[in-house]
Amino acid sequence: QVQLVETGGGLVQAGESLTLSCAASGRISRIETMAWYRQAPGKQRELVAVTGVDKASITNYADSVKGRFTISTDNFKNSMYLQMNRLKPEDTAVYYCNAMIKSSIVLPPDEYWGQGTQVTVSS
């Protein structure tokens, strides 16, 4: 079994920065991709940023966060980070860690989610 644990959420003012972390643990053979999603009250969950963890990884961001957010990974620690700069009130949401992880080299990857961490940006 695999667990994803997010940390780093909190309350900040508009224009400030915050860094989220996600640590994967358990039976991990290979992490294929890691991503951050968010869900604001009354809205659907949306993709914020995604990255592959191999050398030819492709990173993509939602248009609303391009130039402000940066996703990164630490393969040795099986961890992922989201550096969020110039935060806006509309960034307020629960942020979820997502990963496609192979527990065995011979099996396809499974999808895992963290429990979510609240980010609140006041104006």
Side-chain angles (χ1 to χ4, degrees):
Q1 193 59 274
V2 173
Q3 288 186 327
L4 301 180
V5 178
E6 303 105 330
T7 56
L11 172 64
V12 296
Q13 293 187 335
E16 293 184 341
S17 299
L18 203 60
T19 300
L20 305 182
S21 300
C22 171
S25 62
R27 188 175 178 182
I28 299 172
S29 174
R30 175 181 167 80
I31 300 178
E32 301 286 344
T33 63
M34 299 192 82
W36 289 99
Y37 285 75
R38 67 185 182 187
Q39 187 167 19
K43 295 187 177 181
Q44 290 187 333
R45 190 173 297 188
E46 63 173 354
L47 177 67
V48 176
V50 59
T51 187
V53 294
D54 60 17
K55 295 181 179 180
S57 62
I58 297 176
T59 301
N60 286 303
Y61 296 92
D63 288 342
S64 59
V65 307
K66 281 181 181 177
R68 299 188 298 122
F69 291 10
T70 302
I71 188 172
S72 62
T73 60
D74 183 332
N75 297 346
F76 182 75
K77 295 181 179 179
N78 288 332
S79 295
M80 171 179 64
Y81 309 94
L82 186 68
Q83 175 66 43
M84 304 184 292
N85 298 326
R86 303 195 305 279
L87 282 160
K88 304 176 181 180
E90 50 263 43
D91 294 319
T92 295
V94 176
Y95 284 70
Y96 296 91
C97 174
N98 170 278
M100 298 297 293
I101 297 175
K102 299 182 69 169
S103 296
S104 169
I105 195 169
V106 298
L107 296 176
D110 291 313
E111 185 175 35
Y112 296 92
W113 291 90
Q115 81 287 351
T117 185
Q118 177 70 46
V119 173
T120 303
V121 184
S122 63
S123 57

